[in-house]
Amino acid sequence: MEIHEDVPCPFCGTICDDIICKVEGDEVVSTQNACRIGNAKFVHAEGAERYKKPMIRKSGELVEVSMDEAVEEAAKMLVESKRPLMYGWSSVDCDAQSVGVELAEESFAVIDNTATVCHGPSLLAVHDVGYPVCTLGEVKNRADVVIYWGCNPLHAHPRHFSRHVFSRGFFRERGRSDRTVIVVDPRESDTSKLADVHVQVEFDKDYELLDAIRTALRGKKILYEQVAGVPRETIEATVELLKKAQFGILFFGMGITHSRGKNRNIDAGIRTIQDLNAHAKFTLIPMRGHYNVNGFNQVCTWETGYPFCVDFADGSAKYNPGETGSNDLLQNKETDGMFVIGADPGAHFPQKALEVMAEIPVVTIEPHRTPTTELSDVIIPPAFVGIETEGTAYRMDGIPIKMKKLVETDLLSDKEILVRILTRVRELKASK
Amino acid sequence: MNEVVLTPKEQPYVPIETSTIKPDDFANKSIDEIKDLEVWYGNTSSKIGDFFDVEGESGPTPAETNILIDGDVYNTKRIGQGMTDGKITVNGNVNMYVGAEMEGGIITVNGNADSWAGQDMRGGELIINGNARDYVGSSYRGDWRGMTGGIITIKGNAQNEVAEYMLGGKLIIQGDVRHMPGVHMNGGLLVIEGNVISRPGGEMKNGTIVIKGIVSEFLPGFEYHGIEKDLNIQGESIKGSFYKFKGDFSEKGPDGTVYVAVAGNNHIVP
């Protein structure tokens, strides 16, 4: 049995880098320090059906085929579609993402990642008003006021709270008791139970509350006695508390990025942080979901200038979420071929988008049987990054982490599969 | 005045982008030259003649060229993008970006328009006789300068974030809108004759919004300034009694004004 220490976890955007893995043969048999979700990913939970061979759907049935045949079909779909959509990219490493952007450009496709149904609104707000961020290390060592807005890390990022709030830091020697935790959430959650202050904002009224907070920050009177279910006095008292912070941090999640107003909620949230810096040091970090969803936004931005929803239809990079987002293209019936990698739209997209996915050819690079593979015509299984192959991933705060290889596998990495498809796409285009 | 008539053939499954359909590109060209103008069909370059039957005659200048699209072009984007003069009439629905970056001339759509109608508009007139979707008269993504001039009139309803980052010109919506009309507005006049669900003028710094219908929810960052009667703004005379609000005070030193009709709106007065 081999013991691997300080292994980064390829599950959520927190990328905990202190996992200990026990390896027997080509399997991780147990872990220490990981949360239940991370452990399940490493030891490859029972019940999951893992694909090991490429498959193509022939007269309704998935049939095992050679890698060459599957690559051929994938390349053909990309070359023959008038408006191919390449979606996913959040559970693969940055090198694979980089080849993906090249493949999208070569195929005149639209490339988009899971941010489109996740923190896409945050990205839109960043264009408009900026991005005052810090690292998770700074939070651990410095933060004395921690706000979780519209997120429930105890369930979605299980070790986030213990690693950055309970843990002791350089300037926060007593850990949790040196910090004030504010949770803004319409519901009582396991996170809100641990908070010092739970602001129970009315559902869909985040923007109103932020507008009131910013108005109070400027010393102006809030127009109404109660905003978003919160009394004026409570808002004013909270603002005073925030102004006294030595180092404040706002973590925010889907509860605010996808409630009414979407990107405008984040826009107002970012502006609040900027306004607070007139009084205190304040920063923010979005609670990114997949371990490398941020990586795609980084790679795509340095390759094309845009973080997601990039349209290569005429050869140059164009961008307009609302038109070039995956759900826009599917629901407006604009795309006629879909390529999925490192994501499961079948489980997460709305019904109307799935109906279109069921009608068009779908190529999927995916290790498991998922709702997406049920809709797929070609399935190519890759090796897992962070377990069976190496790679780089960007943590939620934008820090690149080297993912480790723990076990051997015969499967190709995402990057190798993409390079083969790219080569074939180039050959097919040349022969046209 | 000469007219070119485009009769759409069947609209394709994947949309086409036709920023070449404008008097600036048609003027002084023969029908065969017009048929040969480039349009984008998905990810391939195609020609106007592949999607439209073209008849009539173009004028010597854009100002003397009328374009009539006689039929439904629901899957055609960017009609009249960047036009400077002349006229386009569409007898049917249009897809996104109709009249985007328009500088002059008149576009009339006798049907519905998709999102971003009149995006970044600088001059001229855009009339939609049906409904429009989101971001009417908005800015390009990430730009803080939206519509700077011209007049947009929507006879029906529009949806979210109309007049986003508006800087000048006039936008009149005769029907209802949904959320956040005039968000980040920095100038110009937005008139909504119907109802608004929420957040008119969020983060606005300047400009004027007049709402004649009912506003369900109003923002707490505004200051109440009493009732004003019979407004006169940018040469537009608007009759009636209005609650006046200044804001949005979540922004630094704002000078935006929101007028909301007195009738049916006393719930938003503090």
Side-chain angles (χ1 to χ4, degrees):
Chain A
M1 186 163 56
E2 284 174 65
I3 306 280
H4 293 260
E5 288 186 345
D6 298 334
V7 179
C9 170
F11 184 75
C12 82
T14 315
I15 316 193
C16 301
D17 50 5
D18 57 351
I19 315 296
I20 299 170
C21 293
K22 286 183 191 164
V23 173
E24 274 179 30
D26 61 355
E27 255 183 276
V28 179
V29 290
S30 75
T31 65
Q32 281 173 32
N33 296 342
C35 68
R36 285 173 64 179
I37 315 174
N39 176 67
K41 174 121 190 200
F42 277 114
V43 303
H44 209 195
E46 311 132 35
E49 191 179 323
R50 178 87 191 259
Y51 292 136
K52 297 270 180 165
K53 289 268 162 51
M55 283 184 287
I56 292 184
R57 198 173 293 278
K58 290 180 179 168
S59 34
E61 292 297 314
L62 285 170
V63 183
E64 281 188 11
V65 294
S66 68
M67 183 57 85
D68 284 347
E69 195 180 340
V71 164
E72 177 72 22
E73 277 301 304
K76 259 200 211 152
M77 186 284 282
L78 287 171
V79 171
E80 283 166 10
S81 298
K82 280 267 180 241
R83 199 154 168 70
L85 166 65
M86 301 178 71
Y87 171 79
W89 307 103
S90 296
S91 291
V92 301
D93 67 298
C94 291
D95 281 348
Q97 291 164 347
S98 170
V99 179
V101 175
E102 204 179 346
L103 180 56
E105 188 175 3
E106 197 68 49
S107 318
F108 300 102
V110 179
I111 188 164
D112 188 17
N113 85 321
T114 55
T116 198
V117 287
C118 176
H119 270 284
S122 313
L123 298 169
L124 294 185
V126 170
H127 307 321
D128 283 336
V129 294
Y131 196 41
V133 282
C134 67
T135 66
L136 289 171
E138 283 180 278
V139 174
K140 178 188 158 190
N141 287 316
R142 296 170 190 271
D144 63 334
V145 174
V146 182
I147 308 171
Y148 285 101
W149 195 311
C151 53
N152 186 8
L154 254 64
H155 287 209
H157 301 79
R159 295 185 67 218
H160 195 274
F161 214 87
S162 63
R163 279 167 65 88
H164 311 115
V165 176
F166 279 111
S167 66
R168 291 170 182 165
F170 191 86
F171 297 106
R172 302 289 164 236
E173 289 172 357
R174 294 182 300 157
R176 173 70 181 87
S177 46
D178 279 349
R179 310 183 206 265
T180 305
V181 177
I182 303 170
V183 169
V184 186
D185 198 319
R187 302 171 304 176
E188 194 173 280
S189 67
D190 283 335
T191 306
S192 79
K193 285 178 199 159
L194 291 174
D196 299 300
V197 182
H198 178 200
V199 181
Q200 214 157 355
V201 59
E202 256 176 58
F203 175 66
D204 263 354
K205 297 275 179 74
D206 305 90
Y207 187 86
E208 280 76 5
L209 183 57
L210 287 164
D211 200 67
I213 288 174
R214 293 181 63 204
T215 303
L217 260 172
R218 292 196 198 285
K220 295 293 289 189
K221 196 172 173 202
I222 298 166
L223 186 62
Y224 301 116
E225 281 172 16
Q226 188 166 320
V227 177
V230 187
R232 185 194 278 152
E233 295 71 34
T234 313
I235 297 172
E236 285 166 351
T238 311
V239 165
E240 287 311 310
L241 192 146
L242 299 179
K243 278 161 74 173
K244 291 199 183 82
Q246 288 179 349
F247 189 105
I249 174 77
L250 166 66
F251 292 114
F252 58 100
M254 297 301 93
I256 176 165
T257 63
H258 281 272
S259 65
R260 190 177 73 188
K262 297 190 174 183
N263 52 320
R264 293 298 163 209
N265 299 338
I266 310 306
D267 165 341
I270 295 171
R271 300 282 282 154
T272 308
I273 299 303
Q274 289 167 342
D275 294 344
L276 274 165
N277 274 287
H279 308 275
K281 171 70 186 169
F282 243 96
T283 56
L284 58 82
I285 296 178
M287 297 287 276
R288 306 307 299 267
H290 293 71
Y291 72 93
N292 202 21
V293 56
N294 193 355
F296 180 81
N297 302 135
Q298 303 273 351
V299 170
C300 197
T301 307
W302 80 55
E303 298 271 10
T304 70
Y306 305 110
F308 70 137
C309 299
V310 180
D311 183 357
F312 283 108
D314 65 0
S316 61
K318 293 204 172 58
Y319 168 79
N320 194 12
E323 182 195 13
T324 58
S326 301
N327 269 288
D328 309 311
L329 290 169
L330 286 166
Q331 294 186 35
N332 293 339
K333 294 195 172 178
E334 287 196 20
T335 180
D336 56 348
M338 190 171 176
F339 183 96
V340 182
I341 179 168
D344 187 8
H348 303 127
F349 275 13
Q351 184 73 20
K352 212 176 145 196
L354 298 185
E355 282 167 11
V356 178
M357 272 179 74
E359 283 169 19
I360 61 176
V362 178
V363 173
T364 305
I365 316 289
E366 167 67 50
H368 287 127
R369 185 177 181 197
T370 65
T372 305
T373 59
E374 293 300 298
L375 294 169
S376 302
D377 304 288
V378 180
I379 301 165
I380 306 178
F384 277 120
V385 176
I387 301 174
E388 294 165 342
T389 177
E390 291 186 335
T392 306
Y394 276 74
R395 208 164 66 180
M396 60 168 68
D397 56 346
I399 299 297
I401 309 266
K402 182 92 184 160
M403 309 304 283
K404 289 187 177 171
K405 176 178 177 165
L406 306 176
V407 298
E408 291 299 326
T409 179
D410 300 334
L411 294 165
L412 297 178
S413 69
D414 297 290
K415 184 186 172 183
E416 288 165 320
I417 295 168
L418 289 164
V419 167
R420 286 195 187 196
I421 297 173
L422 177 62
T423 311
R424 194 62 198 129
V425 163
R426 286 197 171 125
E427 286 167 5
L428 286 172
K429 276 174 68 187
S431 67
K432 248 186 176 181
Chain B
M1 187 72 78
N2 294 326
E3 189 168 73
V4 179
V5 182
L6 302 179
T7 311
K9 301 173 182 175
E10 200 186 337
Q11 286 280 287
Y13 181 88
V14 168
I16 48 174
E17 300 206 359
T18 58
S19 58
T20 46
I21 300 187
K22 59 174 182 278
D24 305 72
D25 284 87
F26 281 20
N28 210 13
K29 283 202 174 75
S30 71
I31 292 301
D32 283 339
E33 283 171 322
I34 291 171
K35 279 183 182 169
D36 231 22
L37 287 171
E38 186 179 54
V39 297
W40 275 95
Y41 171 35
N43 55 14
T44 46
S45 169
S46 203
K47 292 183 170 36
I48 285 185
D50 298 339
F51 298 98
F52 297 92
D53 292 324
V54 187
E55 287 166 332
E57 196 182 346
S58 68
T61 63
E64 292 161 281
T65 304
N66 280 359
I67 300 173
L68 172 67
I69 301 179
D70 201 9
D72 198 338
V73 281
Y74 64 90
N75 235 4
T76 303
K77 293 177 180 174
R78 300 186 189 275
I79 292 172
Q81 179 169 2
M83 80 184 255
T84 60
D85 215 337
K87 238 176 165 177
I88 300 177
T89 309
V90 184
N91 288 331
N93 304 312
V94 296
N95 207 303
M96 297 173 188
Y97 307 103
V98 61
E101 296 166 27
M102 182 173 174
E103 290 174 27
I106 303 171
I107 300 179
T108 311
V109 178
N110 296 316
N112 301 326
D114 208 310
S115 302
W116 289 287
Q119 181 193 42
D120 237 340
M121 186 162 168
R122 291 151 205 183
E125 196 173 352
L126 171 63
I127 302 156
I128 313 276
N129 281 317
N131 302 321
R133 279 184 67 188
D134 306 324
Y135 291 106
V136 179
S138 74
S139 71
Y140 177 79
R141 276 269 181 235
D143 197 348
W144 49 273
R145 296 149 301 193
M147 174 174 174
T148 49
I151 304 170
I152 303 178
T153 310
I154 312 284
K155 295 278 168 75
N157 305 324
Q159 299 202 7
N160 303 308
E161 298 201 22
V162 300
E164 176 231 24
Y165 280 108
M166 185 173 182
L167 206 52
K170 246 183 246 175
L171 203 168
I172 297 160
I173 294 171
Q174 297 185 347
D176 302 336
V177 305
R178 291 173 59 80
H179 306 291
M180 307 194 129
V183 62
H184 278 293
M185 196 163 158
N186 291 319
L189 171 64
L190 166 64
V191 180
I192 299 162
E193 299 187 1
N195 304 327
V196 175
I197 301 179
S198 77
R199 304 172 186 168
E203 295 167 83
M204 80 188 289
K205 281 190 193 150
N206 214 323
T208 308
I209 304 176
V210 180
I211 302 166
K212 297 186 183 171
I214 290 167
V215 176
S216 306
E217 294 167 31
F218 196 62
L219 285 169
F222 282 81
E223 212 172 57
Y224 178 54
H225 282 250
I227 295 174
E228 257 188 42
K229 276 187 185 163
D230 298 342
L231 314 173
N232 198 330
I233 310 151
Q234 288 187 22
E236 192 89 10
S237 156
I238 302 166
K239 297 269 175 234
S241 299
F242 294 89
Y243 294 122
K244 182 181 183 184
F245 296 90
K246 295 290 279 185
D248 175 354
F249 281 93
S250 70
E251 292 293 319
K252 205 172 177 180
D255 196 23
T257 313
V258 180
Y259 291 102
V260 183
V262 166
N265 281 310
N266 59 18
H267 63 282
I268 65 163
V269 176

